Each structure stands twice: as structure tokens, then as C-alpha cells.
Amino acid sequence: MYPFNGQAITATGSYTATLTNAVGCDSLVTLQLTVNQPSTHSFADTICAPAVYHFNGQAITATGSYIANLTNAVGCDSLVTLQLTVNQPSAHTFADTICAPAVYPFNGQAITATGSYIANLTNAVGCDSVVTLQLMVNQPSAHSFADTICAPAVYLFNGQVLTATGSYTATLTNGIVTGK
């Protein structure tokens, strides 16, 4: 509101008042008034913890709505609202087991040894994601033995009935439990 000649003016425009000057003559006063407007602006942004977002002198680390009362280019109030989302990094650990000489593909690696392997990735919300693989590589085992029978006896070996002298092989699963 702008007071002029007993009026409360709130709009841009040209206003005239006829007054009497100091020597008693008419005096025409014209006011060219420009009423500037306040402004508002809202925007959203996203960061990944533990990053800090600097806004209007504040160091922000939590999701929320933040307001700054400023002065715009024409000298009026300016209200700026920030809607900040703070996404979290993620971590995941899992274990798996293979039997040698198998190869375990993990994050572009061909793993053949027992150990802990880490992949630094980006999660679905754009933040760091650390994936840890605990891999156990079990080794195959071999066992040989000799036995003797007298004919016409038969020898049972791995579901086979054997009656002749020879070398016989059976491929079996060893006694290592994989946890699966």
C-alpha cells in the first residue's frame, strides 16, 4: 500500500492530485507508481547420504522441505522452497559355494578361490551400493583302494556287479556340505 493524497494505492498506475502550493495557487502533482510483486520459486533436489546440501546458509543432511526468505531483483520478498530428498547408500553381503574347478562370475571377475570379494556399484536411487560376496570353493577329493575276491564270487561296486579283474572308477559327491 502506498499512501497518496488520502488514498491507499495498491496497483501500478498514474495518480494525480490537485493541491494548493505555498503561495495559494493550484499545484498539480502526478505520481507514476510501479508496484513490484513478490516472487515464489520451488524446486526439488536429491543427494546421497552422507553428503551435505548447502541452501541459504544451512548445511542440510535430512530429507525435508526448506524455505529461504530472500529479496528478489526488484527489491520485493522472494520465497524459495527446496524439497530435498536424501537417499541412502546400501550394503548387501551374501555367501555362496562352488566346487573346483568351477568359475564364479562376480562383477566382471572370474573367481576360482575362496575369499571375500567386494563390488562397488550404484543402487536404484543413485547412491553407493557395496555388495560383498563370501565365496567358499570346495576341492574335489580322490580315493583309491584295492580289493581281492575269489572266483566265482562277485564284487558290488557303485551299483555294478564286477566279476573280472580290472580298474574301476566311480564319480561321487564328496562329503562337504555346501549349506544350500
Side-chain angles (χ1 to χ4, degrees):
M1 177 187 80
Y2 190 90
F4 179 69
N5 194 34
Q7 300 174 42
I9 302 172
T10 59
T12 297
S14 178
Y15 300 90
T16 305
T18 303
L19 307 171
T20 304
N21 66 14
V23 293
C25 297
D26 287 342
S27 176
L28 186 63
V29 176
T30 301
L31 167 65
Q32 294 291 332
L33 181 64
T34 301
V35 178
N36 292 322
Q37 298 298 316
S39 57
T40 60
H41 178 71
S42 296
F43 69 101
D45 211 346
T46 303
I47 61 172
C48 293
V52 176
Y53 194 96
H54 296 280
F55 176 69
N56 195 38
Q58 301 174 67
I60 303 170
T61 58
T63 294
S65 183
Y66 299 90
I67 297 172
N69 291 309
L70 307 170
T71 302
N72 66 17
V74 293
C76 296
D77 290 340
S78 175
L79 185 66
V80 178
T81 303
L82 163 66
Q83 185 61 48
L84 183 65
T85 301
V86 180
N87 290 325
Q88 299 299 317
S90 59
H92 178 70
T93 300
F94 70 100
D96 210 348
T97 304
I98 61 171
C99 293
V103 174
Y104 195 97
F106 177 70
N107 195 37
Q109 302 173 66
I111 302 172
T112 59
T114 295
S116 181
Y117 300 90
I118 295 174
N120 293 304
L121 307 169
T122 301
N123 65 18
V125 294
C127 297
D128 290 340
S129 175
V130 178
V131 177
T132 304
L133 164 65
Q134 301 289 338
L135 185 65
M136 171 64 70
V137 179
N138 291 327
Q139 298 300 317
S141 56
H143 179 71
S144 296
F145 67 96
D147 208 348
T148 304
I149 62 170
C150 293
V154 295
Y155 193 90
L156 294 176
F157 177 71
N158 194 37
Q160 300 175 60
V161 176
L162 306 177
T163 57
T165 299
S167 179
Y168 298 92
T169 303
T171 301
L172 307 169
T173 302
N174 62 17
I176 298 174
V177 177
T178 65
K180 288 185 179 180

